[in-house]
Amino acid sequence: MSKCDRPLAIESGSPAFDAPLHVGRPNLGDRETMLRRVNDIFDRRWFTNDGPLVKEFEARIQELVGVKHCVAMCNATIALEIAIRALELRGEVIVPAYTFVATAHALQWQEITPVFADMDPATHNISPEAIERLITPRTTGIIGVHVWGRPCDTAAIEAIADKHKLKVMYDAAHAFGCSHRGRMIGSFGACEVFSFHATKFINCFEGGAVVTDDDELAAKLRLMRNFGFAGVDKVIYPGTNGKLTEVCAAMGLTSLEAMEEIVTANRRNYEAYREGLLGLPGISLKKYDSSERRNYQYIVVEVDETTAELNRDELVAVLQAENVLARKYFWPGCHRMEPYKSFFPNAHLLLPQTELVAERVVVLPTGQAIDTSAIEMICQIIRQGMLQAKAVRERLRQA
Ligand code: T4K
């Protein structure tokens, strides 16, 4: 049977893939090198608290990003919280509604109100015009998010911040290894935060970092990451425990050594999806600007229900039946999650583009764990789903 003749799993119950294809399957560096590093950690009996591998990891990131300081942390959420506190943000801070909920929670966790701004639908990033409309006397800062690794309009955001005397930091969880106007992301604003979670392009199992060129801020971040200790028995600041462990740093270093291979695999996958989805009405793959450095970490497709045969949710159902665990990031938007939904029940009225895009986006599997033949199959399933839209809809109605 050719691929085209194969019945869709949503109809036949027999999925195209035996094992689930995840969006965030972790990438791996060289296994032997990692195991050697873990053995060395055991020999040294130095497991955490600013160990030699954490220091090496920080130095590598400083060099790659071109910043003076990298303060490694246990994950990006804690890194955001610490950075927000170190910058002394309070009152209201403007953030995009279209982001992973951690961006908003990092503020709310310390009783700062996240004020949700709408996006530019072309980039999915926070709209500078929307930011300006939301500034009040309580606003102290702006957190831009480089969604999918595509840079925010940093020049416009920073001009607004200068005009209103606000602080700017960026959530760069998706943007490690990416550049903007020839400069690496990580070097914009007062500081930027990377995520090295298992599902990220470069991973530490769990990990994050704040990067900055500001010596004073970096010193404060280091203190806050380690309970405020400025030496044995000497606490000079309220702090928390945001430390990265040695085994996580070992994973990060090993992952960094494989960075070029991972980018190559991601780019190969992106090109395969581009080819496979070409010409499908209502289906558009978000493009990467290859004149800048990109990590190609996310395969983001928009389904325009006015021209596509199936809407996004119907397409996701077709894919999931085939064991392709496509995701609807960042549906329904932070403003429609708790506690924000209860705090601001009418927020959606100010977020028309976020509302539209959040209903259209589907993120597809990529990374080292997937090959181009699997991608061809995924694209074929999408094509076939669209061709057999009537039958698919009927089946979903019955389910
Ligand atoms: N800011 C932004 C803009 C972010 O996107 C994120 C995180 C953060 C801040 C906070 O960073 P961290 O504090 O996490 O460092 C995932 C990730 O957990 C999350 O890190 C990420 N963004 C977000 C976009 O995606 P979920 O809700 O999709 O679930 P998760 O992690 O359970 O699984 C994702 C997929 O990966 C699943 O299909 C299963 C698969 N998977 C997952 C893990 C952990 C694997 O195959 N192996 C694994 O080890 O959040």
Side-chain angles (χ1 to χ4, degrees):
M1 203 187 311
S2 84
K3 277 184 193 165
C4 301
D5 299 330
R6 184 191 153 271
L8 288 170
I10 202 154
E11 294 179 75
S12 71
S14 166
F17 298 97
D18 295 334
L21 289 189
H22 291 286
V23 164
R25 211 61 170 162
N27 296 311
L28 279 175
D30 182 66
R31 215 177 263 242
E32 289 308 314
T33 310
M34 176 62 190
L35 294 175
R36 185 177 43 70
R37 284 195 166 111
V38 173
N39 261 325
D40 292 347
I41 293 171
F42 291 160
D43 290 344
R44 271 195 299 274
R45 287 181 191 267
W46 193 272
F47 292 170
T48 182
N49 292 19
D50 221 6
L53 295 185
V54 167
K55 289 201 171 94
E56 193 182 335
F57 183 60
E58 291 181 338
R60 288 282 294 123
I61 290 178
Q62 283 162 204
E63 189 191 328
L64 274 160
V65 177
V67 283
K68 276 167 82 179
H69 306 280
C70 168
V71 186
M73 307 254 184
C74 53
N75 60 58
T77 307
I78 295 290
L80 283 167
E81 285 173 19
I82 294 178
I84 287 164
R85 206 165 177 116
L87 283 175
E88 296 174 10
L89 299 182
R90 55 189 168 271
E92 295 174 0
V93 171
I94 299 172
V95 291
Y98 191 74
T99 177
F100 189 60
V101 73
T103 321
H105 280 353
L107 291 162
Q108 186 61 38
W109 195 251
Q110 28 203 348
E111 298 183 356
I112 300 164
T113 306
V115 175
F116 297 119
D118 208 1
M119 63 151 81
D120 170 354
T123 62
H124 295 182
N125 280 327
I126 194 164
S127 147
E129 293 74 37
I131 295 177
E132 198 140 30
R133 284 197 293 271
L134 295 170
I135 294 170
T136 73
R138 295 193 71 228
T139 311
T140 58
I142 303 165
I143 304 183
V145 181
H146 306 297
V147 178
W148 318 130
R150 292 179 181 80
C152 295
D153 187 345
T154 53
I157 292 172
E158 284 158 34
I160 294 170
D162 286 349
K163 188 166 137 198
H164 296 272
K165 302 202 172 11
L166 303 174
K167 290 180 178 164
V168 180
M169 58 174 273
Y170 294 99
D171 176 340
H174 301 178
F176 185 72
C178 301
S179 65
H180 178 38
R181 303 206 170 131
R183 229 168 94 187
M184 291 308 279
I185 289 182
S187 59
F188 293 88
C191 64
E192 302 210 46
V193 173
F194 293 124
S195 170
F196 301 114
H197 180 257
T199 56
K200 292 293 184 290
F201 153 67
I202 294 296
N203 89 87
C204 289
F205 300 121
E206 287 272 5
V210 187
V211 285
T212 181
D213 276 324
D214 181 332
D215 300 340
E216 214 176 301
L217 180 66
K220 212 160 153 188
L221 291 165
R222 287 187 184 282
L223 280 170
M224 286 183 158
R225 172 182 73 169
N226 186 30
F227 316 101
F229 273 107
V232 182
D233 302 333
K234 191 177 169 198
V235 172
I236 61 163
Y237 221 85
T240 184
N241 184 351
K243 289 169 279 148
L244 186 73
T245 65
E246 283 292 275
V247 77
C248 287
M251 187 66 171
L253 283 165
T254 312
S255 191
L256 279 177
E257 284 155 6
M259 183 157 144
E260 291 313 316
E261 282 163 47
I262 302 170
V263 179
T264 304
N266 283 349
R267 185 159 188 181
R268 173 204 66 200
N269 294 348
Y270 163 71
E271 300 295 349
Y273 275 113
R274 203 156 72 147
E275 205 170 297
L277 297 174
L278 211 65
L280 255 176
I283 298 287
S284 54
L285 178 68
K286 289 303 277 184
K287 295 205 173 52
Y288 282 104
D289 169 6
S290 48
S291 69
E292 293 273 3
R293 289 192 62 166
R294 294 287 173 258
N295 59 31
Y296 299 87
Q297 184 184 322
Y298 290 101
I299 301 293
V300 181
V301 169
E302 272 190 51
V303 183
D304 176 356
E305 69 289 353
T306 62
T307 45
E309 297 295 332
L310 294 175
N311 67 30
R312 188 274 309 271
D313 288 358
E314 291 162 341
L315 180 61
V316 168
V318 167
L319 289 166
Q320 296 207 341
E322 305 283 357
N323 246 338
V324 179
L325 304 188
R327 297 293 300 268
K328 303 196 279 189
Y329 296 136
F330 294 106
W331 180 83
C334 294
H335 62 296
R336 286 190 179 270
M337 295 178 174
E338 291 296 0
Y340 316 111
K341 191 166 91 176
S342 299
F343 289 166
F344 320 111
N346 294 321
H348 61 278
L349 297 173
L350 291 174
L351 301 166
Q353 302 301 337
T354 303
E355 291 270 299
L356 187 79
V357 169
E359 288 295 332
R360 288 185 169 179
V361 164
V362 53
V363 178
L364 298 172
T366 184
Q368 284 173 325
I370 183 167
D371 59 22
T372 49
S373 65
I375 293 171
E376 278 169 31
M377 184 54 134
I378 295 170
C379 295
Q380 177 55 34
I381 291 165
I382 296 175
R383 245 168 228 285
Q384 204 178 335
M386 294 294 171
L387 277 172
Q388 298 170 15
K390 219 168 141 211
V392 168
R393 263 205 207 104
E394 191 49 40
R395 183 49 64 122
L396 286 170
R397 235 192 314 272
Q398 286 162 13

